[in-house]
Amino acid sequence: MNQPKIEQLRQSGFDTGHAEFAERMVRALRDGLSALEALPRDDEFWRGWANECVTIHKLHDYAGEQLVRDPANRVARWALVALALAYGANDGGLSLLGPEVATDPAVVADALVIADWVAQEIGFDLTPELREVFGWADRQALEELARTDDGQAARTALRVLDGSSFAA
């Protein structure tokens, strides 16, 4: 059950021109599944499930719980982003990236990939969501990043923060 969803995620990444990012999301799913697999079967999480098999569905619940317990849990956060992309969530998990952008402004590039992926797959313009996520960033750090050769994503983020549309 997990492998078909992983392959679908890969294919969507390829179809949208984001194959490398899709591979990162596949790794995020696998990391999340590994964390769930390592969870002792006598842990409270397993109560109420029909079995103790690790599945994508259980990963969603597990990662969500882990992120509530520890908002800095990157494995849980990125597993949820990957699941959102895999299942065609309207925002592709973009809403989860604010804390990541706050600690590392380079994550704005990932946010832009997600927005482009969603635009291609679903047709939604995520400019308002991007503006909210980019609002977590230290503006000065974004401006410094924008002045570098690799700063295209930061320059786009600044334009979105200043009122431009991502879709334009």
Side-chain angles (χ1 to χ4, degrees), residues 42-120:
D42 62 353
D43 185 274
E44 180 70 25
F45 173 81
W46 293 109
R47 292 197 185 158
W49 291 105
N51 60 46
E52 296 172 349
C53 295
V54 173
T55 64
I56 295 276
H57 177 71
K58 290 174 189 164
L59 173 59
H60 182 271
D61 289 1
Y62 173 71
E65 287 179 16
Q66 292 302 303
L67 199 55
V68 167
R69 285 184 196 160
D70 177 10
N73 186 325
R74 296 190 86 234
V75 170
R77 181 176 312 283
W78 284 102
L80 289 169
V81 169
L83 287 168
L85 286 169
Y87 282 94
N90 290 348
D91 79 344
L94 189 60
S95 59
L96 296 163
L97 291 187
E100 292 288 315
V101 169
T103 60
D104 181 5
V107 176
V108 298
D110 293 338
L112 291 170
V113 168
I114 291 169
D116 184 59
W117 184 315
V118 169
Q120 289 186 57

